């Protein structure tokens, strides 16, 4: 009896439930169907609904030849055009996710019915979403709770989307909006991350793996969850086979899946994505130094990291590769000495290569040493030389470089500037003092010319957005000639380029133009200035080049001339106690500067065991000390030889222009003796013959006896002189670069140390008039 009553109640309950379900279906089905398929109603744009917008995409940085050198990305989001995706990968997607895609209008009701039955039978839930519904989920509904309303909205929006976009456009958005793991958004990024290739090169198996991965990228991670990932991959391949796109057996599918399954994260060697000091320079400029990308930081960040910009820079990947290789000449060492390098294209000022020290690493090697300022050592003498020649000094005028020397100190008159270390050189030509980098001669020359005028030349020759009197002060120190001021590698390269260009200065720069994501809509372009500005007269620059060529022929850098006798000029620089070492060098085509030092501080690079007995080319570094003539000069040579391969050998004075060159570098007056008033006094020879320095020059000699070497003769009889009135130094306020300097003709005059008085062979007649 109880069993019968229970059975009756069950039947009644089932009937009532069936009636209720039927009533609900009858009542709701027309409304639901009408809502999903209201094709005659006015379309509601999903762009108006909100959320369905342009896809986020990383910005790409290119070199001057259009080759990728970096990216800016909050996430690795790369967009592929539908035309770029192979047909067999599209076939794999349809097989795995939505085989009826081209038959339905956004919702596959048959698939929904099958899934409902499967869910009732298995007690599971989910599935049956079309590709269109998945696109809607990714772009419109990601933040909504997964309730009954969610599914209805997804279906409704899928129908609307099918009316707004073509099937191909929907497929393109599916491939581009899904997350594939390891920060990869879009199948183009996924192809790079998992297979190290372009999306156009994916095989059908690789495509099936990536499509299968989308359902749960973390769960199916091939690196950390290989077993589960392999199982999912096999299922995907089985579905591809079921649609007739492959003909593998079950065993062959398992074997093929195991072969194709990625084992690590990759990148494309032809499209670098790693951060470098150069790309960080570009990023900082676009985010913090300009409003090119927007008025606010937030706008600029969104544009740079998600706007898909195409940023074209001045970098040349080949020149950069040469620079990266050249700096490896410097071995790892116990004083943390690193090398920075910058190469400028002399014709434009474009930065073609930049090494900012050890490779960029977030939190560890972030400081760009090519932009960081350090004391220059004797490399700054090229500015003093140019300023002196601009003021009318001749290349073979004479100056005293004898150690020790005591000079005025404008900053602190009570504490004279004294130089006691370095090379001592008696009176000789300015040319020779440059080749040997004589500190006393150049410290005097800087004050003879006028310290403020030298500072003005530095600003004129190295002008850039980074070096102005307002942004970085260069001080008129008495120690200017020994490198007391701090300048960057870029600053020094800009100055060298002004000399190499025979006086024409082009400000260094690194950005050419920026396009929107379509790579055709121009967002910004650099205003081109072909003419440049005059930093030096052509004659001054020619004489500077002529003198600095001797540094490589027979001076401090004589061991590093360029291959094939290619014309070049340069200047070494070594700071006190070897804390900074420089080489500044150039050809008519390129200017390159190399700095070596410890970025942590002014660490002496002496007694470094890793530097002893290093062999570079035909040279062996016997000492364990770094100077400008060692690692910096050799790095410079290695790099410059490489980047000049295949270029014409060009001289400043070509065969056609030889006569012009001779006129440019020829002295415009008789040679004179330069002197610093107050430190050096002058006297006129009345009778007798005083000792005189040699004025015989032998350009191109590489012996230790250099042109302009002093000689001493013993007076045959008394030398009677008349002491001349003491002149004054250049007025500190003098800004005219052509104002003459204190000098006196060599013939018939002598210059002597005021503190010591006349030499013992000279007999004064009294003060002359």
């Amino acid at each position: 009896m109880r069993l019968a009553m229970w059975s009756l109640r069950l039947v009644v309950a089932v009937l009532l439930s069936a009636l209720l379900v039927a009533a609900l279906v009858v009542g709701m089905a027309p409304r639901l169907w009408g809502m999903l398929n209201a094709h005659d109603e006015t379309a509601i744009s999903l762009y108006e609904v909100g959320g369905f917008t342009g896809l986020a995409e990383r910005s790409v940085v290119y070199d001057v030849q259009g080759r990728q050198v970096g990216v800016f990305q909050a996430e690795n989001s790369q967009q592929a055009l539908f035309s770029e995706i192979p047909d067999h990968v599209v076939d794999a997607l349809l097989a795995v996710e939505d085989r009826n895609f081209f038959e339905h209008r956004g919702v596959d009701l048959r698939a929904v019915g099958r899934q409902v039955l499967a869910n009732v039978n298995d007690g599971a839930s989910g599935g049956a979403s079309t590709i269109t519904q998945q696109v809607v989920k990714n772009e419109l509904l990601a933040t909504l709770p997964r309730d009954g309303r969610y599914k209805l909205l997804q279906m409704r929006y899928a129908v609307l989307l099918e009316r707004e976009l073509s099937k191909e456009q929907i497929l393109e958005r599916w491939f581009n909006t899904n997350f594939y793991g390891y920060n990869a958004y879009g199948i183009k990024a996924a192809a790079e991350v998992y297979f190290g290739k372009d999306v156009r090169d994916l095989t059908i198996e690789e495509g099936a793996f990536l499509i299968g991965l989308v359902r749960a990228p973390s769960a199916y991670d091939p690196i950390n969850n290989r077993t589960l990932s392999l199982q999912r991959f096999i299922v995907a391949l089985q579905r591809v086979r079921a649609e007739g796109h492959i003909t593998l057996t079950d065993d062959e599918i398992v074997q093929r899946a195991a072969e194709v399954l990625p084992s690590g994260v990759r990148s494309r060697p032809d499209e670098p994505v790693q951060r470098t000091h150069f790309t960080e320079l570009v990023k900082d400029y676009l985010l913090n130094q300009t409003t090119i990308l927007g008025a606010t930081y937030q706008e600029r960040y969104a544009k740079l990291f998600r706007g898909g910009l195409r940023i074209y820079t001045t970098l040349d990947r080949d020149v950069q590769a040469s620079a990266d290789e050249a700096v490896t000449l410097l071995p790892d060492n116990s004083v943390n000495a690193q090398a920075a390098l910058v190469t400028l294209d002399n014709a434009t000022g474009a930065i073609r290569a930049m090494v900012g020290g050890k490779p960029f690493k977030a939190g560890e090697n972030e400081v760009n040493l090519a932009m960081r300022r350090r004391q220059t050592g004797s490399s700054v003498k090229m500015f003093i030389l140019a300023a002196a020649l601009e003021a009318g000094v001749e290349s073979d005028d004479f100056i005293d470089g004898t150690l020790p020397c005591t000079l005025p100190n404008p900053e602190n008159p009570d504490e004279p500037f004294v130089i006691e270390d370095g090379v001592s050189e008696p009176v000789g030509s300015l040319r020779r003092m440059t080749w040997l980098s004589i500190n006393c001669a150049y410290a005097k020359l800087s004050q003879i010319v006028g310290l403020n005028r030298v500072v003005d030349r530095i600003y004129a020759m190295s002008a850039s957005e980074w070096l102005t009197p307002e942004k970085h002060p260069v001080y008129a120190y008495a120690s200017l000639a020994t490198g007391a001021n701090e300048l960057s590698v870029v600053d020094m390269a800009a100055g060298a380029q002004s000399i190499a260009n025979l006086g024409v200065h082009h400000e260094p720069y690194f950005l050419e133009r920026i396009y929107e994501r379509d790579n055709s809509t121009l967002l910004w372009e650099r205003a081109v200035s072909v003419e440049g500005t005059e930093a030096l007269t052509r004659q001054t620059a020619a004489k500077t080049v002529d003198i600095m060529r001797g540094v490589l022929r027979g001076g401090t850098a004589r061991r590093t001339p360029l291959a094939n006798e290619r014309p070049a000029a340069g200047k070494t620089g070594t700071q006190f106690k070897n804390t900074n070492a420089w080489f500044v060098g150039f050809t008519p085509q390129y200017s390159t500067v190399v700095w070596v030092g410890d970025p942590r501080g002014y660490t002496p690079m002496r007694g470094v065991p890793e530097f002893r007995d290093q062999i570079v080319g035909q040279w062996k570094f016997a000492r364990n000390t770094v100077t400008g003539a060692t690692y910096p000069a050799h790095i410079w040579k290695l790099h410059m030889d490489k980047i000049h391969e295949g270029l014409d050998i060009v001289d400043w004075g070509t065969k056609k222009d030889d006569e012009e060159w001779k006129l440019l570098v020829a002295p415009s007056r008789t040679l004179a003796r330069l002197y610093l008033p107050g430190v050096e006094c002058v006297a006129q020879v009345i009778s007798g013959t005083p000792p005189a320095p040699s004025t015989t020059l032998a350009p191109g000699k590489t012996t230790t006896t250099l042109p302009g070497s002093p000689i001493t003769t013993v007076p045959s009889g008394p030398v009677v002189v008349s002491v001349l009135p003491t002149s004054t130094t250049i007025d500190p306020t003098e800004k005219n670069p052509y104002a003459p300097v204190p000098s006196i003709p060599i013939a018939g005059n002598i210059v002597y140390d005021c503190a010591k008085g006349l030499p013992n062979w000279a007999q004064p007649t009294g003060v002359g008039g």
Side-chain angles (χ1 to χ4, degrees), residues 46 51-53 55 93 98 101 106 129-142 150 154 157-158 161-162 165-178:
L46 293 184
F52 202 79
T53 59
L55 302 177
L93 170 61
D98 190 356
F101 176 72
S129 290
T130 64
I131 288 174
T132 312
Q133 287 176 273
Q134 292 177 43
V135 171
V136 167
K137 177 190 72 174
N138 289 342
E139 300 203 51
L140 285 177
L141 308 177
Y150 174 91
Q154 185 187 40
Y157 287 161
L161 183 59
E162 291 264 352
L165 301 180
S166 68
K167 289 288 187 178
E168 289 74 16
Q169 289 174 314
I170 293 171
L171 288 171
E172 181 180 293
R173 292 192 83 93
W174 188 95
F175 280 116
N176 286 326
T177 57
N178 276 302

Side-chain angles (χ1 to χ4, degrees), residues 495-513:
Q497 174 255 350
S498 296
I499 301 171
N501 274 342
L502 297 185
V504 177
H505 174 70
H506 296 284
E507 290 197 9
Y509 71 101
F510 53 86
L511 277 180
E512 293 283 7
R513 59 194 178 278

